[in-house]
Amino acid sequence: MKTDHDAELVHELIAGDGGRGEWLLVNPRMLVGLVGAVACYAWLFLMVGTSAFVPYVDARSAVIGGAHFGFIVGAAVSLVVTWLLSDFFARRKLFQFVLAVVLTVAGCLALWLFRSDWEWLPCATLFTGFGFGLLYSLYGEFICLYFHASIKAYVLGIFLSAALVCAGLLFAGAETSFFFAIVFPLVAFVAYACVFAFFHLDKRAVVDHKVSDSRHRVVWRSYLATLTAGMAAGFGLGCLLSSETVQSGAYGLAEVLVVATCAGLLFDACRKNRIGETLTMRFFLPFAAVVAFPLMFVPQSSKFVFAILLLCGSIFPITCSLSAMCKHIVLCDLAPIRAFSFGRFVCFIGIALGMALAFGGFLHDGWGGFSYETTSMASVVVFMVLVIFSASFVMIEDNYPDEARIKRSESPAEGAAPALEVTPGTPIRLAETSADESGQEEADHVARPGIFHIRCEIVAKRYGLSNRQREVLGMQRRLHN
């Protein structure tokens, strides 16, 4: 009933305004979207971390590596095109969705029909990457719009659920792994089609790209951190994929550790929420260098242990930067498809760079006339140099603004953008100094009621509430307190 749905939205408003890490009361329609988001990420995990998408896979790691790389490049290209044409796609979501379906179906058919022609694998996965990137940005918009009250907990919950369902691959044989893998894009597309119809996403107001860019408050250090985290994940995956097959014990160990990592992050997000984007980057960058260093000396049979540790460590900054970016989209009222596409494009470029380094360094026979020992050592050295370079910029400042750094007026004009305490691009440390000088009590008074008021207005406009109903909705804050 509509009354029940309204009550759930009121609960969402209170949860979003009352503290950190609180879960929304999710209605069945939103649950369909969550299932689709989990399937979308499980599809990504299988494509970048396994060879399940290749029918009757064998141990030709060099060819399989090209297939993985093709998917990552396809997704990156798709995301940057979506970013460049964000106004077009934001007004034509149905066209974007249909195009994603067509490209994905074409890629999956090519994978099956040309499964014996290994040279066609990168081209086939390139098309699936195109389709994934288009769908990925649509799900990014959906998450930003409907799960912003506890967005970090939901992002981590999606990651954990996706990793858990991928465990089913351990029980799929070589003959059935391909069909297991294509179930996830099928579920993701069907779920989004339902969400599109449920919430009338094609009728939502569109934020122009120029307006969105003027409200954007993330500085370049943030994207450097995201790129570095992606590069670490890609390097760990490339090291695993260059020597392991999909049914190996290494995959089982990686599955357990990834699930444990995501579960720990989710537990923290629902409790104290101490693990943030800045904290993870400050600890992860030294950790990445320390873990990567032994890859130059340990036997080839033991390299996968350090690669798995590097992969699990990269989950910390990847998930934190993803949730922080989504929160930034909500706080500054950005164009979701545009901001999400660019942020994830940077991450995928990092994954592609890390994979290229690992595949080039850990090929069994080396390349260019150099031995395996030489190429692997050179690959690790280049990776460590890039990580150290990134650390020198990323570890000195916070990278994403949050509620405490965004000022909203008590009764903002309709369509007005939130104002930053200082000019865009100013280091967050200086922004916090300015906020402290103005007084913490004033900052709390300005930020918190304004956010709640805006959320009430969103619900009121969506359901056509009268002035009296709007007043009653606003009283929910006092009743809750």
Side-chain angles (χ1 to χ4, degrees):
M1 296 177 62
K2 183 177 179 180
T3 304
D4 296 334
H5 185 56
D6 292 345
E8 291 167 352
L9 286 171
V10 170
H11 179 84
E12 174 184 346
L13 290 171
I14 296 172
D17 195 66
R20 302 182 194 176
E22 297 184 18
W23 288 84
L24 309 184
L25 181 61
V26 181
N27 62 42
R29 294 182 178 184
M30 288 188 177
L31 187 59
V32 172
L34 278 178
V35 171
V38 169
C40 186
Y41 273 96
W43 178 22
L44 171 64
F45 293 168
L46 288 175
M47 292 296 291
V48 301
T50 75
S51 301
F53 58 90
V54 182
Y56 310 116
V57 64
D58 63 9
R60 303 185 188 187
S61 58
V63 180
I64 299 301
H68 288 283
F69 194 75
F71 177 82
I72 294 298
V73 171
V77 171
S78 181
L79 287 169
V80 76
V81 170
T82 305
W83 170 65
L84 292 172
L85 303 178
S86 58
D87 287 347
F88 175 84
F89 285 119
R91 293 178 173 86
R92 298 169 179 84
K93 295 185 181 70
L94 183 59
F95 171 78
Q96 181 177 349
F97 174 74
V98 173
L99 182 59
V101 172
V102 171
L103 291 171
T104 302
V105 170
C108 291
L109 287 176
L111 283 171
W112 178 258
L113 296 176
F114 301 107
R115 57 187 180 275
S116 300
D117 300 326
W118 296 96
E119 64 273 9
W120 285 97
L121 277 180
C123 296
T125 54
L126 188 70
F127 274 90
T128 58
F130 290 153
F132 171 82
L134 291 171
L135 183 67
Y136 190 33
S137 58
L138 290 173
Y139 269 112
E141 179 194 44
F142 172 74
I143 292 172
C144 291
L145 291 176
Y146 292 99
F147 298 100
H148 52 79
S150 300
I151 200 163
K152 183 176 181 180
Y154 276 104
V155 167
L156 291 167
I158 290 170
F159 265 69
L160 175 60
S161 301
L164 284 172
V165 297
C166 286
L169 186 62
L170 292 170
F171 307 99
E175 294 78 12
T176 59
S177 60
F178 175 75
F179 302 101
F180 175 84
I182 64 175
V183 166
F184 295 107
L186 177 63
V187 172
F189 281 115
V190 171
Y192 187 82
C194 295
V195 166
F196 186 87
F198 291 157
F199 297 100
H200 306 287
L201 296 179
D202 56 329
K203 293 181 172 59
R204 293 195 64 88
V206 176
V207 180
D208 183 78
H209 78 278
K210 292 182 180 179
V211 176
S212 179
D213 291 347
S214 67
R215 299 172 180 173
H216 208 277
R217 307 304 180 189
V218 177
V219 295
W220 65 271
R221 283 185 305 273
S222 175
Y223 294 122
L224 180 60
T226 302
L227 185 144
T228 306
M231 182 180 66
F235 192 80
L237 287 169
C239 182
L240 285 172
L241 295 168
S242 63
S243 57
E244 301 292 339
T245 62
V246 68
Q247 300 293 342
S248 66
Y251 177 76
L253 178 60
E255 177 72 24
V256 171
L257 292 180
V258 168
V259 168
T261 302
C262 292
L265 286 170
L266 179 60
F267 180 81
D268 172 78
C270 294
R271 294 302 182 110
K272 300 297 184 180
N273 195 24
R274 294 176 177 174
I275 304 177
E277 186 266 345
T278 305
L279 179 65
T280 56
M281 288 307 302
R282 289 176 178 172
F283 283 95
F284 167 70
L285 293 175
F287 168 83
V290 170
V291 171
F293 183 73
L295 289 172
M296 293 189 292
F297 308 106
V298 298
Q300 184 176 346
S301 59
S302 303
K303 291 184 185 296
F304 75 93
V305 175
F306 297 93
I308 291 175
L309 290 176
L310 187 61
L311 175 62
C312 292
S314 67
I315 292 176
F316 283 80
I318 286 177
T319 55
C320 288
S321 63
L322 175 59
S323 59
M325 181 191 65
C326 292
K327 193 71 174 179
H328 174 246
I329 291 172
V330 174
L331 286 172
C332 295
D333 193 20
L334 307 180
I337 288 181
R338 180 175 180 82
F340 186 88
S341 297
F342 184 78
R344 295 299 91 191
F345 162 72
V346 173
C347 182
F348 274 78
I349 287 296
I351 294 174
L353 177 60
M355 275 193 172
L357 281 174
F359 287 144
F362 294 102
L363 291 176
H364 294 292
D365 300 327
W367 54 276
F370 296 98
S371 65
Y372 170 82
E373 289 74 15
T374 302
T375 57
S376 60
M377 183 175 296
S379 176
V380 174
V381 169
V382 173
F383 172 77
M384 293 177 62
V385 168
L386 292 175
V387 168
I388 295 171
F389 171 79
S390 176
S392 63
F393 291 97
V394 173
M395 294 174 64
I396 58 176
E397 301 285 356
D398 292 342
N399 299 298
Y400 283 91
D402 56 22
E403 295 97 329
R405 305 178 185 116
I406 299 291
K407 281 186 176 180
R408 296 180 184 269
S409 61
E410 179 67 26
S411 299
E414 184 175 352
L420 190 67
E421 295 177 358
V422 291
T423 58
T426 302
I428 297 302
R429 171 177 49 81
L430 299 182
E432 289 177 334
T433 302
S434 300
D436 292 339
E437 292 175 354
S438 63
Q440 182 63 38
E441 181 178 352
E442 179 182 357
D444 289 342
H445 174 72
V446 172
R448 305 305 285 186
I451 294 174
F452 184 80
H453 174 77
I454 290 173
R455 289 172 176 156
C456 288
E457 287 300 313
I458 292 173
V459 173
K461 289 180 181 179
R462 182 182 301 174
Y463 292 94
L465 302 183
S466 65
N467 291 334
R468 178 55 183 165
Q469 289 171 326
R470 293 187 186 206
E471 293 176 5
V472 173
L473 181 62
M475 293 177 185
Q476 296 295 325
R477 179 188 179 92
R478 290 195 290 266
L479 293 175
H480 179 68
N481 293 335

